[in-house]
Amino acid sequence: MKPFCIQSLLLGISISMYMTISGIKRKSLSPMGALAASIVGFLSISCGLRGFLVLIFYKLGSFATKYQKDAKEKTDGDASKSAIRGPHQVLACSAIAVACSLYHALYFGEEKAIDFYQSREASSLTCAIIAHYAVCLGDTLSSELGMLSKSQPFLISAPWRKVPCGTNGGVTILGTLWGAIGGAIIGLATILLDMIIGIEIQPMATIIYGIICGLFGSLLDSLLGATLQCSYYDDNRKLVYCKKETKSMKHIAGFDVLTNAQVNLVSVIVITVVGGGYVAPFIFR
């Protein structure tokens, strides 16, 4: 499917409308967040079928965020707020991939097989997009499903320290596993999309690459959260917060440098650049 042809444009419009209506109806997106998602969906799909990765991330990420919401709200004081994503969160988890897709569409045309010998730059862009959504989905599943673990989290920057569930940078084995699973899902989705497109695939390399990006992306996000985001614990409510709302709250970890959306953006940029430019050429041989 050629980028920005009639077929891709109509498909892009349909998907963007679906993401907008679904996000508002399910209360997973704010009105401005839905607008940002519609633009992202339209541009992604208009560039080619691999743009469906954004829809896969959106649907699975939204499901994970809503899953056992009541249980999460018993430990995380910000859980109800973070369940509704605004434009900053939407763009932090999609803008880089959209930019890579547009660049590929403008300079290389239709989506191509990953082949660093034939087309290194086009392959790097494709792998950057895969890395982008692998870290986004891996981090979302790790955070949202990992916090349901029965084992108490430890701080990634100080593994000997146990921290309350919901602490930025708190990790569990289950959460780490979900990070790898998220990356594997994006790898598998890429394989299926490439099969539909009808281009050559490297199944094992694609899944391994997705796992690496999802796993290390979620760990990097946790490390940034543990150091550059504040976490406070309200001993009376037994809840974790990102901001100190009362004097009784105790500081757990981190400095108030970045917001959650900014942490997501930094981890996405690092994994996208390193994954597409340096890791992928060693895996896709």
Side-chain angles (χ1 to χ4, degrees):
M1 186 172 68
K2 293 182 179 180
F4 296 102
C5 66
I6 297 297
Q7 183 182 0
S8 62
L9 289 173
L10 291 175
L11 194 58
I13 292 172
S14 301
I15 295 301
S16 66
M17 290 178 61
Y18 168 75
M19 292 176 70
T20 302
I21 296 170
S22 175
I24 294 176
K25 184 178 179 180
R26 295 178 180 275
K27 296 181 179 180
S28 59
L29 295 171
S30 69
M32 291 305 295
L35 176 61
S38 68
I39 295 172
V40 166
F42 171 72
L43 292 176
S44 298
I45 303 298
S46 295
C47 288
L49 286 183
R50 285 179 182 142
F52 271 94
L53 289 177
V54 70
L55 180 61
I56 293 167
F57 160 65
Y58 165 68
K59 295 300 293 183
L60 292 179
S62 297
F63 171 78
T65 301
K66 297 289 186 181
Y67 183 70
Q68 292 194 20
K69 180 182 175 183
D70 293 339
K72 295 172 185 175
E73 291 179 351
K74 292 179 181 179
T75 57
D76 187 351
D78 297 315
S80 59
K81 298 177 184 177
S82 61
I84 303 176
R85 305 189 185 281
H88 295 93
Q89 292 165 305
V90 171
L91 294 176
C93 295
S94 60
I96 305 300
V98 171
C100 290
S101 297
L102 289 170
Y103 188 92
H104 189 289
L106 290 171
Y107 289 95
F108 301 100
E110 292 183 73
E111 293 165 324
K112 298 174 175 59
I114 299 173
D115 188 336
F116 281 89
Y117 294 103
Q118 294 294 327
S119 182
R120 185 178 182 87
E121 189 174 358
S123 296
S124 288
L125 286 168
T126 298
C127 290
I129 295 167
I130 297 171
H132 181 287
Y133 289 117
V135 61
C136 288
L137 184 58
D139 176 58
T140 301
L141 298 187
S142 177
S143 300
E144 298 295 341
L145 302 181
M147 68 183 301
L148 299 174
S149 174
K150 294 181 180 179
S151 61
Q152 187 176 1
F154 61 86
L155 195 64
I156 191 170
S157 59
W160 56 89
R161 281 186 58 193
K162 296 287 185 178
V163 291
C165 184
T167 301
N168 290 315
V171 296
T172 62
I173 294 176
L174 178 63
T176 303
L177 180 61
W178 273 114
I181 292 173
I185 291 172
I186 293 299
L188 180 60
T190 302
I191 293 170
L192 294 176
L193 290 169
D194 283 359
M195 289 175 65
I196 294 172
I197 297 170
I199 59 179
E200 185 180 350
I201 58 174
Q202 299 182 53
M204 189 60 66
T206 306
I207 292 176
I208 290 174
Y209 178 67
I211 291 173
I212 291 173
C213 293
L215 176 61
F216 285 96
S218 65
L219 291 175
L220 175 60
D221 191 275
S222 295
L223 182 60
L224 292 172
T227 54
L228 301 179
Q229 274 186 284
C230 277
S231 292
Y232 297 93
Y233 185 70
D234 189 330
D235 207 25
N236 296 322
R237 300 177 184 175
K238 308 298 181 184
L239 292 172
V240 174
Y241 292 87
C242 290
K243 293 188 179 296
K244 191 172 185 178
E245 299 180 1
T246 64
K247 293 182 179 180
S248 62
M249 287 187 178
K250 298 178 181 177
H251 179 260
I252 304 172
F255 298 95
D256 190 12
V257 178
L258 300 176
T259 65
N260 186 60
Q262 289 168 342
V263 165
N264 290 340
L265 180 60
V266 172
S267 60
V268 163
I269 290 174
V270 172
I271 298 300
T272 299
V273 173
V274 175
Y278 301 97
V279 178
F282 286 98
I283 295 177
F284 293 93
R285 292 180 176 273

